[in-house]
Amino acid sequence: MNHRKAFRNGMRDGIPIALGYLAVSFTFGIMAKNAGMTAFQAVLMSLTNLTSAGQFAGLGIISASLSYAEMAFTQLVINLRYCLMSCALSQKLDQRASFFHRFFIAYGNTDEIFGICSCREEKLDPYYTYGAVSVASPGWAFGTFLGVVSGSILPDQVLSALGVALYGMFIAVIVPPAKNSRIIAGVVLVSMVASLIFTLVPVLNMISSGFRIIILTLLIAGGAAVLFPVKEEAYQ
Amino acid sequence: MSHNIYIYILVMAGVTYLIRLLPLTFIRKEIKNTYIRSFLYYVPYVTLSVMTFPAILTATQSIWSALIGFIAAIVVAYRGASLVKVSAAACLAVFLMELIPGI
Protein backbone atom coordinates (compact mmCIF):
# COMPACT_ATOMS: atom_id res chain seq x y z
CA MET A 1 0.00 0.00 0.00
CA ASN A 2 1.23 3.41 -0.98
CA HIS A 3 2.03 5.45 2.14
CA ARG A 4 1.40 8.79 0.48
CA LYS A 5 -2.05 7.69 -0.61
CA ALA A 6 -2.77 6.35 2.88
CA PHE A 7 -1.70 9.69 4.37
CA ARG A 8 -4.00 11.58 1.99
CA ASN A 9 -6.93 9.28 2.80
CA GLY A 10 -6.23 9.87 6.49
CA MET A 11 -6.26 13.64 5.98
CA ARG A 12 -9.57 13.42 4.12
CA ASP A 13 -11.19 11.34 6.87
CA GLY A 14 -9.66 13.68 9.45
CA ILE A 15 -11.69 16.65 8.15
CA PRO A 16 -15.01 15.80 9.83
CA ILE A 17 -13.07 14.94 12.97
CA ALA A 18 -11.35 18.33 12.92
CA LEU A 19 -14.71 20.10 12.45
CA GLY A 20 -16.26 18.15 15.29
CA TYR A 21 -13.22 18.84 17.47
CA LEU A 22 -13.51 22.53 16.69
CA ALA A 23 -16.97 22.65 18.25
CA VAL A 24 -15.97 20.71 21.37
CA SER A 25 -12.59 22.36 21.93
CA PHE A 26 -14.16 25.78 21.44
CA THR A 27 -16.30 25.09 24.50
CA PHE A 28 -13.23 23.72 26.26
CA GLY A 29 -11.34 26.95 25.50
CA ILE A 30 -14.09 29.06 27.05
CA MET A 31 -14.05 26.92 30.19
CA ALA A 32 -10.25 26.96 30.35
CA LYS A 33 -10.33 30.73 30.28
CA ASN A 34 -12.89 30.76 33.08
CA ALA A 35 -10.59 28.46 35.05
CA GLY A 36 -7.89 31.14 34.77
CA MET A 37 -5.73 29.60 32.05
CA THR A 38 -3.97 31.58 29.34
CA ALA A 39 -4.39 30.75 25.65
CA PHE A 40 -0.89 29.26 25.59
CA GLN A 41 -1.58 26.97 28.53
CA ALA A 42 -4.94 25.83 27.18
CA VAL A 43 -3.54 25.11 23.71
CA LEU A 44 -0.57 23.32 25.27
CA MET A 45 -2.96 21.13 27.23
CA SER A 46 -5.02 20.38 24.12
CA LEU A 47 -1.98 19.52 22.01
CA THR A 48 -0.38 17.29 24.63
CA ASN A 49 -3.55 15.55 25.84
CA LEU A 50 -5.77 15.35 22.79
CA THR A 51 -8.77 14.07 24.74
CA SER A 52 -12.03 15.75 25.68
CA ALA A 53 -13.43 14.24 28.88
CA GLY A 54 -9.99 14.09 30.48
CA GLN A 55 -9.29 17.74 29.78
CA PHE A 56 -12.67 18.94 31.06
CA ALA A 57 -12.13 16.94 34.25
CA GLY A 58 -8.59 18.31 34.47
CA LEU A 59 -9.95 21.87 34.53
CA GLY A 60 -12.10 21.01 37.52
CA ILE A 61 -9.09 19.65 39.39
CA ILE A 62 -6.96 22.68 38.53
CA SER A 63 -9.72 25.05 39.67
CA ALA A 64 -10.03 23.18 42.95
CA SER A 65 -6.22 23.06 43.28
CA LEU A 66 -6.24 19.34 44.11
CA SER A 67 -3.02 17.31 44.33
CA TYR A 68 -1.03 15.99 41.36
CA ALA A 69 -1.79 12.45 42.52
CA GLU A 70 -5.52 13.15 42.35
CA MET A 71 -5.02 14.56 38.88
CA ALA A 72 -3.14 11.43 37.79
CA PHE A 73 -5.77 9.11 39.26
CA THR A 74 -8.67 11.01 37.67
CA GLN A 75 -7.03 10.90 34.26
CA LEU A 76 -6.36 7.20 34.67
CA VAL A 77 -10.00 6.47 35.49
CA ILE A 78 -11.50 8.70 32.81
CA ASN A 79 -9.14 7.62 30.06
CA LEU A 80 -8.93 3.92 30.85
CA ARG A 81 -11.10 3.17 27.82
CA TYR A 82 -8.13 4.06 25.63
CA CYS A 83 -6.40 0.98 27.01
CA LEU A 84 -9.11 -1.23 25.47
CA MET A 85 -8.91 0.71 22.22
CA SER A 86 -5.13 0.39 22.04
CA CYS A 87 -5.43 -3.36 22.61
CA ALA A 88 -7.83 -3.61 19.68
CA LEU A 89 -5.63 -1.36 17.56
CA SER A 90 -2.56 -3.49 18.30
CA GLN A 91 -4.19 -6.25 16.27
CA LYS A 92 -4.89 -3.94 13.35
CA LEU A 93 -1.21 -3.10 13.03
CA ASP A 94 1.27 -5.19 11.12
CA GLN A 95 3.15 -7.02 13.87
CA ARG A 96 6.40 -5.88 12.33
CA ALA A 97 5.39 -2.23 12.83
CA SER A 98 8.28 -0.54 14.65
CA PHE A 99 8.26 1.01 18.12
CA PHE A 100 8.65 4.32 16.32
CA HIS A 101 5.25 3.91 14.66
CA ARG A 102 3.64 2.65 17.86
CA PHE A 103 4.84 5.72 19.79
CA PHE A 104 3.27 8.08 17.28
CA ILE A 105 0.04 6.15 16.78
CA ALA A 106 -0.46 6.07 20.56
CA TYR A 107 -0.50 9.87 20.63
CA GLY A 108 -3.35 9.99 18.13
CA ASN A 109 -5.46 7.21 19.61
CA THR A 110 -8.51 9.33 20.42
CA ASP A 111 -12.05 7.94 20.34
CA GLU A 112 -12.54 9.33 16.85
CA ILE A 113 -9.24 8.41 15.26
CA PHE A 114 -9.52 4.97 16.81
CA GLY A 115 -12.94 4.77 15.16
CA ILE A 116 -11.72 5.39 11.64
CA CYS A 117 -8.57 3.27 12.10
CA SER A 118 -10.16 0.17 13.61
CA CYS A 119 -13.32 -0.50 11.62
CA ARG A 120 -11.57 -1.54 8.45
CA GLU A 121 -10.98 -4.89 6.82
CA GLU A 122 -7.32 -4.48 5.94
CA LYS A 123 -4.32 -3.91 8.20
CA LEU A 124 -3.78 -0.36 9.39
CA ASP A 125 -1.16 1.68 7.56
CA PRO A 126 0.37 4.00 10.24
CA TYR A 127 0.47 6.78 7.65
CA TYR A 128 -3.32 6.74 7.46
CA THR A 129 -3.40 7.53 11.19
CA TYR A 130 -0.77 10.25 10.77
CA GLY A 131 -2.82 11.88 8.00
CA ALA A 132 -5.90 11.96 10.23
CA VAL A 133 -3.92 13.27 13.22
CA SER A 134 -2.29 15.98 11.10
CA VAL A 135 -5.74 17.46 10.43
CA ALA A 136 -7.62 16.57 13.61
CA SER A 137 -5.02 17.67 16.15
CA PRO A 138 -4.66 21.24 14.79
CA GLY A 139 -8.48 21.42 14.73
CA TRP A 140 -8.54 20.53 18.43
CA ALA A 141 -5.81 23.07 19.26
CA PHE A 142 -7.25 25.84 17.08
CA GLY A 143 -10.74 25.45 18.56
CA THR A 144 -9.23 25.71 22.04
CA PHE A 145 -7.41 28.88 21.02
CA LEU A 146 -10.58 30.44 19.58
CA GLY A 147 -12.54 29.59 22.70
CA VAL A 148 -10.00 31.27 24.98
CA VAL A 149 -9.47 34.44 22.96
CA SER A 150 -12.93 35.09 21.59
CA GLY A 151 -15.59 33.25 23.52
CA SER A 152 -18.28 34.20 21.03
CA ILE A 153 -16.86 34.05 17.52
CA LEU A 154 -18.95 31.04 16.46
CA PRO A 155 -22.72 31.59 16.43
CA ASP A 156 -24.80 29.17 18.51
CA GLN A 157 -26.46 27.65 15.43
CA VAL A 158 -23.10 26.75 13.92
CA LEU A 159 -21.82 25.29 17.18
CA SER A 160 -25.03 23.33 17.53
CA ALA A 161 -24.77 21.93 13.99
CA LEU A 162 -21.09 21.05 14.46
CA GLY A 163 -22.08 19.29 17.67
CA VAL A 164 -23.19 16.25 15.67
CA ALA A 165 -20.12 16.14 13.37
CA LEU A 166 -18.28 13.55 15.47
CA TYR A 167 -21.36 11.42 15.94
CA GLY A 168 -22.05 11.57 12.21
CA MET A 169 -18.52 10.31 11.68
CA PHE A 170 -19.05 7.44 14.13
CA ILE A 171 -22.22 6.50 12.27
CA ALA A 172 -20.37 6.58 8.94
CA VAL A 173 -17.87 4.13 10.44
CA ILE A 174 -20.31 1.61 11.94
CA VAL A 175 -23.20 1.57 9.46
CA PRO A 176 -21.47 0.03 6.38
CA PRO A 177 -20.10 -3.03 8.27
CA ALA A 178 -23.47 -3.37 10.04
CA LYS A 179 -25.15 -3.40 6.64
CA ASN A 180 -22.97 -6.29 5.51
CA SER A 181 -23.06 -8.36 8.67
CA ARG A 182 -26.14 -9.18 10.70
CA ILE A 183 -23.93 -10.01 13.65
CA ILE A 184 -22.32 -6.56 13.65
CA ALA A 185 -25.74 -4.97 13.14
CA GLY A 186 -26.94 -6.87 16.21
CA VAL A 187 -23.89 -5.82 18.22
CA VAL A 188 -24.48 -2.15 17.27
CA LEU A 189 -28.18 -2.31 18.15
CA VAL A 190 -27.64 -4.07 21.48
CA SER A 191 -24.88 -1.57 22.34
CA MET A 192 -27.08 1.45 21.65
CA VAL A 193 -30.03 0.06 23.59
CA ALA A 194 -27.77 -0.87 26.53
CA SER A 195 -26.22 2.60 26.44
CA LEU A 196 -29.71 4.14 26.51
CA ILE A 197 -30.62 1.97 29.50
CA PHE A 198 -27.44 3.08 31.31
CA THR A 199 -28.45 6.70 30.66
CA LEU A 200 -32.04 6.41 31.87
CA VAL A 201 -32.09 3.88 34.70
CA PRO A 202 -31.38 5.30 38.18
CA VAL A 203 -28.13 4.10 39.80
CA LEU A 204 -26.83 2.91 36.41
CA ASN A 205 -26.94 6.51 35.18
CA MET A 206 -24.55 7.50 37.98
CA ILE A 207 -21.78 5.55 36.25
CA SER A 208 -19.50 7.93 34.36
CA SER A 209 -19.49 7.77 30.58
CA GLY A 210 -15.91 6.44 30.54
CA PHE A 211 -16.82 3.49 32.73
CA ARG A 212 -20.07 2.94 30.88
CA ILE A 213 -18.01 2.42 27.73
CA ILE A 214 -15.66 -0.01 29.49
CA ILE A 215 -18.43 -2.03 31.19
CA LEU A 216 -20.57 -2.33 28.07
CA THR A 217 -17.59 -3.15 25.87
CA LEU A 218 -16.48 -5.96 28.18
CA LEU A 219 -20.05 -7.34 28.38
CA ILE A 220 -21.21 -6.97 24.79
CA ALA A 221 -17.97 -7.57 22.87
CA GLY A 222 -17.24 -10.40 25.32
CA GLY A 223 -20.69 -11.89 24.77
CA ALA A 224 -20.44 -11.54 21.00
CA ALA A 225 -17.05 -13.25 21.05
CA VAL A 226 -18.57 -16.26 22.88
CA LEU A 227 -21.68 -16.47 20.71
CA PHE A 228 -20.14 -15.56 17.36
CA PRO A 229 -16.40 -16.24 17.33
CA VAL A 230 -14.86 -14.64 14.26
CA LYS A 231 -13.43 -17.08 11.76
CA GLU A 232 -9.91 -16.64 10.49
CA GLU A 233 -10.96 -15.50 7.01
CA ALA A 234 -12.39 -12.29 8.42
CA TYR A 235 -8.84 -11.15 9.15
CA GLN A 236 -7.33 -11.86 5.79
CA MET B 1 0.46 25.07 48.61
CA SER B 2 -0.27 26.36 45.15
CA HIS B 3 0.21 24.09 42.18
CA ASN B 4 2.04 24.72 38.95
CA ILE B 5 -0.24 24.62 35.92
CA TYR B 6 2.51 23.17 33.73
CA ILE B 7 3.07 20.25 36.09
CA TYR B 8 -0.67 19.58 36.02
CA ILE B 9 -0.58 19.53 32.23
CA LEU B 10 2.48 17.26 32.27
CA VAL B 11 0.81 14.80 34.67
CA MET B 12 -2.37 14.72 32.56
CA ALA B 13 -0.51 14.25 29.31
CA GLY B 14 1.81 11.61 30.78
CA VAL B 15 -0.97 9.45 32.23
CA THR B 16 -3.15 9.74 29.12
CA TYR B 17 -0.28 8.94 26.79
CA LEU B 18 0.89 5.91 28.79
CA ILE B 19 -2.63 4.42 28.77
CA ARG B 20 -2.62 4.71 24.99
CA LEU B 21 0.97 3.58 24.51
CA LEU B 22 1.43 0.55 26.77
CA PRO B 23 -0.99 -1.87 25.06
CA LEU B 24 0.39 -0.89 21.65
CA THR B 25 3.96 -1.64 22.67
CA PHE B 26 3.31 -4.70 24.87
CA ILE B 27 1.02 -6.50 22.43
CA ARG B 28 3.36 -6.80 19.49
CA LYS B 29 2.42 -10.29 18.39
CA GLU B 30 -0.71 -11.33 16.62
CA ILE B 31 -3.00 -12.86 19.24
CA LYS B 32 -3.83 -16.47 18.35
CA ASN B 33 -6.60 -17.12 20.85
CA THR B 34 -9.88 -17.08 18.91
CA TYR B 35 -11.90 -15.75 21.82
CA ILE B 36 -9.62 -12.77 22.50
CA ARG B 37 -9.29 -12.05 18.79
CA SER B 38 -13.06 -12.07 18.39
CA PHE B 39 -13.47 -9.87 21.46
CA LEU B 40 -11.02 -7.28 20.09
CA TYR B 41 -12.71 -7.51 16.70
CA TYR B 42 -16.05 -6.46 18.25
CA VAL B 43 -14.58 -3.78 20.55
CA PRO B 44 -14.73 -0.81 18.12
CA TYR B 45 -18.35 -1.50 17.14
CA VAL B 46 -19.46 -1.55 20.77
CA THR B 47 -17.43 1.49 21.88
CA LEU B 48 -18.51 3.64 18.94
CA SER B 49 -22.18 2.64 19.31
CA VAL B 50 -22.16 3.33 23.04
CA MET B 51 -20.47 6.70 22.50
CA THR B 52 -22.92 7.71 19.77
CA PHE B 53 -26.25 6.82 21.29
CA PRO B 54 -27.96 8.38 23.15
CA ALA B 55 -25.23 11.06 23.54
CA ILE B 56 -25.97 12.45 20.06
CA LEU B 57 -29.48 13.42 21.21
CA THR B 58 -28.11 16.01 23.63
CA ALA B 59 -25.34 17.33 21.38
CA THR B 60 -27.38 20.16 19.84
CA GLN B 61 -29.74 22.88 21.03
CA SER B 62 -32.79 20.65 20.71
CA ILE B 63 -33.40 16.90 20.90
CA TRP B 64 -35.50 17.09 17.70
CA SER B 65 -32.79 18.62 15.55
CA ALA B 66 -30.36 16.06 16.96
CA LEU B 67 -32.76 13.22 16.18
CA ILE B 68 -33.10 14.41 12.57
CA GLY B 69 -29.30 14.70 12.32
CA PHE B 70 -28.97 11.16 13.68
CA ILE B 71 -31.47 9.78 11.16
CA ALA B 72 -29.90 11.74 8.30
CA ALA B 73 -26.47 10.30 9.13
CA ILE B 74 -27.80 6.73 9.22
CA VAL B 75 -29.62 7.09 5.90
CA VAL B 76 -26.67 8.71 4.13
CA ALA B 77 -24.20 6.20 5.61
CA TYR B 78 -26.46 3.30 4.62
CA ARG B 79 -26.37 4.51 1.05
CA GLY B 80 -22.60 4.24 1.17
CA ALA B 81 -21.51 7.88 1.35
CA SER B 82 -18.02 8.76 2.57
CA LEU B 83 -17.15 9.79 6.12
CA VAL B 84 -17.02 13.46 5.19
CA LYS B 85 -20.41 13.42 3.49
CA VAL B 86 -22.16 11.55 6.29
CA SER B 87 -20.80 13.96 8.88
CA ALA B 88 -21.72 16.98 6.75
CA ALA B 89 -25.23 15.62 6.15
CA ALA B 90 -25.77 15.29 9.90
CA CYS B 91 -24.56 18.86 10.52
CA LEU B 92 -26.65 20.26 7.68
CA ALA B 93 -29.78 18.46 8.83
CA VAL B 94 -29.35 19.92 12.33
CA PHE B 95 -28.70 23.39 10.96
CA LEU B 96 -31.77 23.36 8.68
CA MET B 97 -33.98 21.85 11.36
CA GLU B 98 -33.04 24.61 13.80
CA LEU B 99 -34.11 27.27 11.31
CA ILE B 100 -37.68 26.17 12.01
CA PRO B 101 -39.08 28.41 14.75
CA GLY B 102 -39.84 26.60 17.99
CA ILE B 103 -37.39 23.74 17.43
Side-chain angles (χ1 to χ4, degrees), chain B residues 83-96:
Chain B
L83 213 67
V84 183
K85 285 183 184 152
V86 174
S87 187
C91 293
L92 191 66
V94 168
F95 186 78
L96 293 178

Side-chain angles (χ1 to χ4, degrees), chain B residues 18-35:
Chain B
L18 282 179
I19 297 169
R20 288 169 168 162
L21 177 71
L22 295 181
L24 272 171
T25 48
F26 281 130
I27 313 176
R28 305 205 62 186
K29 293 231 168 65
E30 195 163 279
I31 294 171
K32 298 290 179 211
N33 181 298
T34 310
Y35 176 72

Side-chain angles (χ1 to χ4, degrees), chain A residues 90-145:
Chain A
S90 75
Q91 297 303 300
K92 279 286 163 190
L93 274 177
D94 191 315
Q95 51 176 319
R96 288 164 302 181
S98 66
F99 268 108
F100 176 80
H101 282 311
R102 289 165 196 265
F103 274 100
F104 283 105
I105 288 175
Y107 166 73
N109 190 17
T110 66
D111 296 337
E112 295 74 22
I113 293 171
F114 167 73
I116 62 172
C117 291
S118 57
C119 294
R120 40 184 38 239
E121 292 295 319
E122 70 276 13
K123 285 281 181 191
L124 172 65
D125 183 330
Y127 288 89
Y128 175 80
T129 310
Y130 301 155
V133 172
S134 75
V135 174
S137 170
W140 184 246
F142 184 60
T144 305
F145 177 76

